[in-house]
């Protein structure tokens, strides 16, 4: 056996009391947008602590800070009593904080044991170069056994299905710190660990949690409240970047938790609910038929009427953003057809749909929505070559400037001029430029994916007003959003998606909006239903523009 | 995610000042290099600052400039065209064969341009439709085009026998300025106009600055990529026939120095290989730097090998200096 490899006895420390992790007054903002504000909480030694909250409540940012991916603006972290300031993910791991990401980080084309021991190869290396495979396999086998998994560590990682791979990753994060590095009290961060697990692996996972809890602590993020209530010792509820409450499972229930998560005054004025158009029987502005996002996945049909806002909600991995992209033809679906304003149905293609009267605003504004280094006017005219160039192909600079200035005035895009680089505007003003891009085209249908992500509260309301103005003109809007209140406040009708399919449809007239708790409950997978595995549905891990 | 921290001081005037600041850093630096090279060589060798030598330099630089114009659009949209030299060789070889076999005279000019455009379109179609990186596509066609051309030439230089054809290149409609340089400057002016004033030009910037954004907004990205390669090929074809007319022959080494020189000139001029930054107007300066360097070092009697070393270092230094000066300006 290589001398540097020592097996550690897994035994609870007897003298450990108090908190393993203390978070004090942590704040973080991106530009004008506050993501988390003055967050304080404790993770006691040998406990399971869970953070729950809506999408965008700041959970991912918090995890990013704890695992060294981002720095907080202010506040203090203490790990086992010492100041804890990780500078990178590997630094955090060295200090004893490991993280399981929502997106898998395993390498597919190497054996399982190499993945399990990645970064630890030095322990198994003798004479500088020679790797002791046998010892590695033995160590990896021990980890797998400890985790209660049925996996042959010598097989290729890619041979195992999504759920098993997720289990392998969890096992790696939970067990390598202790088994290999001899860490007495690891802190393990788990970001929605069970969302990809099938039933069998889930049981193994809960067993593993109990084992790890005997000596270390776990900090969870999860949407599955029933599960949260089962395994947690303490539950913190995050809302709009603040901790709103701390409860223990014995003193609460699922319904109450839902209430804490969303319990925010929904001001009808904020969403201009009074201006919501009544539904008409006009012929639909957009009809979507038989759209399938992934092979073997469900089929989506929907239609929107002129002047209507159709809201689409669901968890991050529900496929709602993918549906938006598919309808707009940005990433055409596997199958299915879209027809705009009574035109013949056709496979969606972004160029022809846009020239026929569709507008699409992507969620990732800085990557897909705008070119930050280019001027406001240029960003406004992207995709409108038909409007801003003559028949001979000359670009109409003067018209571009004039139109840009008109929209800057009309939409109150503050501190903007047509020639100003886009990156100098705040998120809300950038988004108004993107809106102006489509307003100028006088579209029939707009598809908006999280239009107010990374936008401050004031600008949000202005965007809502603009959306109401657009519906007054008879424009149909499909609103895909992670923000529950926005979904409720703006929509005439709400579709809830899970795993690439629409699972429920709810009417939301201005005078009888559905309950927030009801929506949340519909988004969550019902109980322990067998999880359809959708490895192809990319889990949007980053609540990027938080 | 980058938010500018300058929201409190965003007066429209400040924006203009900043824009000017960026222009200076991006454009005045290469102009400064041209001027310093000019002064340096004037002082070093008496043969440099003469009208005779300027005629010679402009003739030499013209082919490079014409070929670089189209390639600049390719770089501007974030791609790369390694095959321009090979297109020049193939078009040159084909044109001279056709010119000698049939008495087409000046029709050789449109013939060469169209042939070049066709070869460029081949590049563009494989790149845009096949979704293969342009580096790979043009690396492949570089070899294919050269191979065909060398087969055609059978490894030898072929002279043309059309009387007076060389006038299109070495005649002087304007005294002291060889026609080839005149055409090059006209082509440059046209391309600058296209780059700044047309839909095509705008789309080149958009594709280079944010292809995903442009595609999501409905810009016909694939089509315009093909157009760009077609234009690059067309100009390479024009450059080829003019070079042949100037040299009086097409040989196996025609265009062999264009691959490196064209990229060097484009990059030194200030068009970023990342795309979206720069423009055809800057390429003129890059071409001047490369041409003056070549010519001046020759006149000073510096050996070919040392010249290669110096040229390489100048290219790297030019880009390095600009990169640091832009670092605080462009947040991207």
């Amino acid at each position: 056996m290589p001398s540097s490899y020592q097996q550690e006895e897994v035994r609870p420390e007897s003298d450990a009391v108090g908190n393993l992790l203390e978070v004090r007054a942590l704040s973080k903002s991106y530009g004008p947008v506050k993501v988390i504000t003055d967050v304080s909480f404790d993770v006691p030694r040998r406990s399971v602590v869970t953070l729950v909250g809506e999408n965008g409540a700041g959970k991912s940012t918090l995890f990013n800070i704890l695992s060294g991916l981002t720095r907080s603006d202010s506040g203090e972290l203490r790990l086992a009593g010492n100041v804890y300031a990780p500078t990178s993910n590997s630094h955090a791991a060295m200090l004893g904080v490991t993280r399981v990401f929502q997106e898998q980080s395993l390498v597919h084309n190497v054996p399982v044991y190499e993945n399990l021991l990645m970064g630890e190869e030095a322990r198994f290396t003798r004479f500088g170069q020679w790797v002791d495979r046998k010892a590695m396999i033995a160590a990896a086998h021990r980890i797998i056994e400890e985790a209660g998994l049925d996996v042959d560590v010598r097989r290729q990682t890619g041979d195992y299905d999504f759920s098993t791979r997720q289990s392998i990753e969890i096992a790696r994060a939970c067990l390598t710190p202790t088994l290999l590095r001899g860490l007495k009290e690891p802190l393990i961060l788990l970001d929605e660990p069970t969302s990809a697990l099938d039933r069998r692996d889930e049981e193994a996972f809960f067993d593993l949690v109990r084992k790890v809890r005997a000596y270390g602590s776990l900090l969870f993020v999860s949407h599955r409240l029933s599960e949260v209530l089962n395994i947690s010792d303490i539950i913190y509820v995050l809302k709009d970047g603040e901790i709103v409450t701390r409860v223990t499972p014995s003193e609460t229930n699922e319904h109450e938790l839902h209430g804490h998560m969303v319990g925010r005054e929904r001001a009808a004025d904020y969403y201009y609910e009074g201006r919501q158009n009544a539904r008409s029987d006009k012929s639909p502005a957009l009809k979507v038929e038989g759209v399938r996002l992934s092979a073997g996945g469900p089929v989506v049909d929907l239609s929107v009427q002129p002047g209507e806002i159709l809201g689409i909600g669901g968890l991050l991995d529900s496929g709602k953003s993918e549906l938006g992209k598919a309808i707009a033809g940005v990433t055409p679906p596997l199958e299915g057809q879209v027809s705009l304003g009574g035109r013949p149905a056709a496979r969606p293609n972004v160029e022809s749909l846009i020239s026929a009267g569709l507008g699409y605003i992507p969620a990732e504004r800085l990557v897909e929505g705008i070119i930050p280094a280019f001027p406001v006017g240029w960003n406004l005219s992207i995709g409108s070559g038909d409007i801003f160039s003559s028949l001979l192909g000359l670009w109409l600079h003067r018209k571009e400037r004039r139109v840009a200035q008109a929209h800057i005035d009309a939409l109150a895009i503050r501190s903007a001029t047509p020639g100003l680089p886009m990156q100098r505007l705040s998120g809300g003003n950038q988004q108004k430029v993107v809106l102006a891009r489509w307003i100028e085209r006088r579209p029939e249908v707009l598809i908006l994916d999280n239009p107010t992500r990374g936008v401050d509260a004031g600008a949000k309301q202005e965007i809502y007003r603009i959306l109401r103005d657009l519906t007054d003109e008879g424009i149909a809007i499909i609103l895909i959003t992670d923000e529950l209140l926005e979904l409720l406040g703006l929509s005439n009708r709400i579709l809830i998606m899970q795993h690439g399919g629409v699972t429920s449809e709810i009417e939301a007239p201005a005078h009888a909006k559905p309950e927030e708790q009801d929506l949340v409950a519909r988004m969550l997978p019902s109980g322990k239903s067998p999880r359809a595995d959708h490895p192809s549905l990319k889990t949007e891990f980053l609540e990027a523009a938080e | 995610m980058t938010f500018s921290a300058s929201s409190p001081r965003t007066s429209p005037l400040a924006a203009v000042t900043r824009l000017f600041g960026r222009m200076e850093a991006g454009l005045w630096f290469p102009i400064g290099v041209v001027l310093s090279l000019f002064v340096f060589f004037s002082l070093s060798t008496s043969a440099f600052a003469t009208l005779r030598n300027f005629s010679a330099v402009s003739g030499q630089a013209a082919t490079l400039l014409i070929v670089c114009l189209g390639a600049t659009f390719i770089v501007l949209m974030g791609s790369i065209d390694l095959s321009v030299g090979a297109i020049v060789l193939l078009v040159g070889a084909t044109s001279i064969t056709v010119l000698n076999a049939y008495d087409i005279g000046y029709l050789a000019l449109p013939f060469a341009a169209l042939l070049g455009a066709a070869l460029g379109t081949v590049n563009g179609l494989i790149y845009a439709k096949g979704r293969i990186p342009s580096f790979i596509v043009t690396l492949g066609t570089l070899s294919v085009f050269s191979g065909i051309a060398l087969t055609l030439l059978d490894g030898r230089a072929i002279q043309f026998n059309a009387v007076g054809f060389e006038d299109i290149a070495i005649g002087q409609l304007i005294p002291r300025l060889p026609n080839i340089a005149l055409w090059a400057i006209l082509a440059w002016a046209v391309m600058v106009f296209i780059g700044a004033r047309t839909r095509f030009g705008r789309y080149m910037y958009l594709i280079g600055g944010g292809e995903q954004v442009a595609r999501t907004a409905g810009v016909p990205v694939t089509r315009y990529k093909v157009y760009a390669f077609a234009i690059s090929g067309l100009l390479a074809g024009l450059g080829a026939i003019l070079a042949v007319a100037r040299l009086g022959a097409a040989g196996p080494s025609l265009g062999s120095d264009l691959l490196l020189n064209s990229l060097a000139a484009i990059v030194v001029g200030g068009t970023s290989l990342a795309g979206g930054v720069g423009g055809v107007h800057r390429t003129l300066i890059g071409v001047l730097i490369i041409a003056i360097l070549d010519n001046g070092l020759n006149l000073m009697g510096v050996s070919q090998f040392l010249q290669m070393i110096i040229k390489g270092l100048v290219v790297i230094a030019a880009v390095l200096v600009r990169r640091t000066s832009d670092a605080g300006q462009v947040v991207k």
Side-chain angles (χ1 to χ4, degrees):
Chain A
M1 288 296 274
S3 53
S4 56
Y5 169 53
Q6 289 147 15
Q7 294 197 334
E8 291 289 324
E9 276 298 303
V10 180
R11 190 189 304 137
E13 292 270 306
S14 50
D15 58 336
V17 282
N19 295 323
L20 181 57
L21 178 74
E22 292 177 0
V23 177
R24 289 290 170 270
L26 212 59
S27 294
K28 172 81 186 171
S29 43
Y30 290 108
V33 185
K34 286 188 170 177
V35 187
I36 52 174
T37 317
D38 199 21
V39 164
S40 301
F41 65 93
D42 296 322
V43 179
R45 287 193 157 87
R46 297 199 290 282
S47 67
V48 177
V49 175
T50 307
L51 296 169
V52 297
E54 282 185 282
N55 296 336
K59 303 180 302 266
S60 290
T61 305
L62 199 52
F63 263 37
N64 285 343
I65 293 171
L66 290 178
S67 57
L69 295 182
T70 356
R71 300 279 197 101
S72 61
D73 295 337
S74 60
E76 195 190 37
L77 300 172
R78 284 181 168 275
L79 187 69
N82 305 315
V83 172
Y84 169 68
T87 52
S88 68
N89 197 20
S90 51
H91 185 215
M94 215 178 72
L95 296 172
V97 178
T98 51
R99 174 172 179 186
V100 181
F101 289 90
Q102 268 179 354
E103 254 171 20
Q104 293 194 342
S105 58
L106 299 182
V107 183
H108 280 202
N109 54 359
V110 301
V112 172
Y113 73 86
E114 289 199 16
N115 268 312
L116 276 172
L117 304 176
M118 195 161 287
E120 308 286 342
E121 288 87 352
R123 284 171 205 287
F124 303 95
T125 309
R126 282 193 285 178
F127 312 123
Q129 285 303 310
W130 192 65
V131 179
D132 189 344
R133 259 172 232 293
K134 255 192 199 155
M136 279 182 85
I137 290 170
H141 189 69
R142 199 170 122 74
I143 293 174
I144 289 296
E145 212 160 58
E146 189 75 22
L149 298 175
D150 178 24
V151 168
D152 181 350
V153 295
R154 278 162 299 190
R155 273 180 67 181
Q156 293 278 303
T157 311
D159 291 352
Y160 290 101
D161 63 16
F162 197 78
S163 168
T164 310
R165 293 202 304 269
Q166 181 77 2
S167 302
I168 292 171
E169 187 150 4
I170 292 171
R172 174 171 77 176
C174 291
L175 296 171
T176 44
T178 311
L179 290 181
L180 285 183
R181 282 190 260 133
L183 208 70
K184 294 280 189 293
E185 298 176 309
L187 173 66
I188 294 140
L189 309 177
L190 295 142
D191 202 344
E192 297 258 7
T194 56
S195 66
L197 293 183
D198 64 27
R199 210 189 160 79
R200 189 172 43 93
D201 290 326
E202 214 171 89
E203 275 162 22
F205 168 71
F206 289 131
D207 286 341
L208 180 61
V209 166
R210 273 187 281 275
K211 256 183 222 171
V212 173
R213 191 176 164 274
Y215 52 92
S217 297
L218 300 103
L219 182 61
F220 269 93
V221 160
S222 182
H223 275 114
R224 297 174 156 189
L225 297 185
S226 57
E227 166 190 305
V228 168
L229 289 168
N230 267 330
I231 64 172
S232 313
D233 298 307
I234 301 165
I235 300 166
Y236 286 97
V237 181
L238 258 179
K239 197 190 66 188
D240 298 336
E242 292 178 49
I243 300 261
V244 289
T245 191
R246 171 192 188 277
V247 289
T248 57
S250 53
E251 61 190 31
T252 187
N253 57 42
E254 266 187 67
H255 186 77
E256 210 181 286
L257 270 183
H258 282 160
H260 286 308
M261 282 163 66
V262 298
R264 186 173 10 170
E265 279 309 303
R266 185 169 56 81
D269 284 354
Y270 192 59
Y271 300 96
Y272 301 97
E273 284 177 19
R275 293 182 58 191
Q276 184 167 321
N277 294 329
R279 288 193 65 194
S280 59
D281 295 327
K282 281 179 258 180
S283 60
L286 179 85
K287 258 178 102 161
V288 174
E289 284 164 347
V291 162
R292 200 189 294 274
L293 298 174
S294 60
V299 161
V300 176
D301 299 287
L302 58 87
S303 68
V304 213
Q305 282 173 344
E308 183 190 26
I309 297 183
L310 174 68
I312 300 183
L315 298 181
L316 282 179
D317 60 352
S318 61
K320 59 187 190 304
S321 283
E322 288 81 353
L323 180 67
K325 281 202 162 127
I327 297 174
V330 175
T331 314
L334 292 181
E335 50 186 276
Q337 299 199 308
V338 167
S339 89
L340 197 67
R343 293 180 188 81
R347 256 182 76 77
N349 166 287
V350 65
E351 286 162 34
S352 51
L353 279 172
I354 283 175
S355 59
L358 181 106
Y360 171 71
I361 296 185
E364 300 284 340
R365 184 169 57 246
L366 293 172
V367 185
E368 295 176 309
I370 62 166
I371 304 177
F374 284 4
V376 169
W378 288 38
N379 272 288
L380 193 139
S381 63
I382 300 177
S384 295
D386 47 351
I387 298 178
F388 292 103
S389 57
S390 68
L391 283 176
L392 290 170
L394 295 185
W395 197 262
L396 307 173
H397 288 265
R398 214 169 295 160
K399 179 176 181 185
E400 180 181 75
R401 262 195 304 278
R402 186 164 40 78
V403 168
Q405 190 60 54
H407 282 291
I408 287 170
D409 296 340
L411 302 183
I413 305 175
R414 271 173 289 280
S415 71
T417 59
L420 192 75
M422 197 72 166
Q423 62 204 3
R424 306 218 175 266
L425 300 184
S426 71
N429 286 321
Q430 287 176 351
Q431 194 69 309
K432 285 190 205 164
V433 175
V434 180
L435 269 168
R437 179 192 301 165
W438 299 114
I439 293 172
E440 181 59 27
R441 296 191 62 79
R442 318 208 161 282
E444 292 170 34
V445 179
L446 271 180
I447 300 177
L448 315 176
D449 193 346
N450 282 295
T452 60
R453 187 183 275 181
V455 171
D456 60 278
K460 260 185 192 175
Q461 194 178 6
E462 289 175 49
I463 288 176
Y464 297 149
R465 184 180 49 77
I466 296 168
L467 296 186
R468 291 291 185 211
D469 289 347
L470 293 176
T471 53
D472 282 349
E473 289 169 28
I475 294 171
I477 292 178
I478 295 181
L479 173 76
I480 298 161
T481 180
D482 286 322
E483 284 201 33
L484 207 50
L485 293 182
E486 182 175 293
L487 185 67
L488 271 172
L490 292 177
S491 310
N492 293 64
R493 203 158 38 106
I494 297 169
L495 302 180
I496 300 294
M497 288 186 69
Q498 283 185 22
H499 309 306
V502 174
T503 48
S504 41
E505 176 170 347
I506 308 137
E507 291 291 332
H511 53 87
K513 292 282 181 187
E515 288 284 304
E516 292 153 31
Q517 283 88 337
D518 180 40
L519 283 191
V520 175
R522 285 168 190 259
M523 290 180 191
L524 301 173
S526 47
K528 292 278 95 186
S529 65
R531 301 278 303 196
D533 280 342
H534 283 289
S536 58
L537 276 184
K538 188 166 162 277
T539 314
E540 297 153 82
F541 150 65
L542 279 176
E543 292 167 24
E546 273 185 329
Chain B
M1 186 183 269
T2 323
F3 276 93
S4 76
S6 64
S7 25
R9 45 180 185 94
T10 39
S11 83
L13 211 65
V16 172
T17 334
R18 268 198 300 275
L19 272 176
F20 265 108
R22 195 157 58 187
M23 282 257 297
E24 279 162 18
L27 203 58
W28 294 118
F29 177 70
I31 291 179
V33 173
V34 171
L35 292 179
S36 0
L37 283 177
F38 188 88
V39 171
F40 174 74
F41 285 124
S42 303
L43 296 177
S44 311
T45 157
S46 57
F48 181 75
T50 60
L51 276 177
R52 226 177 98 95
N53 188 44
F54 290 151
S55 291
V57 174
S58 57
Q60 286 157 9
T63 314
L64 180 60
L65 179 58
I66 295 176
V67 169
C68 280
L69 293 176
T72 304
F73 281 123
I74 307 283
V75 173
L76 195 55
M77 70 171 188
S79 309
I80 202 161
D81 190 348
L82 301 177
S83 70
V84 280
I87 292 181
V88 166
L89 178 59
L90 179 50
V91 172
T94 316
S95 308
I96 210 159
T97 315
V98 172
L99 198 60
N100 284 344
Y102 311 96
D103 189 20
I104 58 170
Y106 292 123
L107 279 179
L109 223 54
F111 170 79
L114 288 178
L115 180 61
L119 296 175
T121 309
V122 170
N123 275 335
L125 285 174
I126 300 175
Y127 161 56
K129 299 273 183 194
R131 292 176 164 270
I132 302 169
S134 55
F135 184 90
I136 304 295
V137 174
T138 54
L139 190 64
T141 52
L142 156 74
S143 185
V144 173
F145 295 162
S146 306
I148 298 174
L150 292 175
T151 312
L152 216 57
L153 290 173
D154 201 14
R156 291 173 290 115
I158 302 178
Q159 292 190 320
F160 63 81
N161 42 30
V163 183
F165 185 69
E166 69 275 8
D167 272 354
I168 60 164
I170 57 176
Q172 296 183 351
L173 287 175
I174 297 174
R176 295 285 177 189
L177 189 70
N179 285 344
I180 187 171
L182 182 64
W183 304 140
I185 289 170
L186 287 178
W188 175 75
V190 171
M191 287 300 141
V192 167
F193 178 81
I194 288 180
R197 294 269 152 204
T198 64
R199 183 169 58 219
F200 173 83
R202 171 60 64 89
Y203 282 179
M204 292 298 108
Y205 281 95
L206 292 181
I207 294 171
E211 183 178 337
Q212 187 59 35
V213 177
R215 204 184 280 279
T216 305
V219 173
V221 172
T222 309
R223 187 148 49 90
Y224 274 82
K225 281 179 170 175
V226 179
Y227 290 168
F229 272 93
I231 286 193
S232 176
L234 184 139
L235 285 159
L238 269 183
I241 192 71
L242 291 172
V244 166
R246 190 172 85 90
L247 300 170
S253 68
L254 180 69
S256 59
D257 57 345
L258 281 175
L259 166 58
L260 291 178
N261 278 353
S262 67
L263 284 176
I266 292 167
V267 170
V268 168
T271 299
S272 159
L273 279 178
V277 179
V280 183
H281 54 291
R282 296 181 163 191
T283 297
L284 176 63
I285 302 165
V287 167
L288 283 179
I289 291 177
I290 299 292
I292 292 177
L293 207 56
D294 266 346
N295 175 266
L297 292 174
N298 263 335
L299 292 180
M300 281 173 72
V302 176
S303 85
Q304 281 297 319
F305 309 132
L306 189 57
Q307 281 193 33
M308 289 169 72
I309 296 173
I310 293 175
K311 214 158 70 177
L313 291 177
V314 166
V315 170
I316 293 173
V319 177
L320 204 63
V321 170
R322 187 171 36 251
R323 194 185 60 88
T324 46
S325 78
D326 274 5
Q329 304 259 350
V330 182
V331 189
K332 200 177 165 188

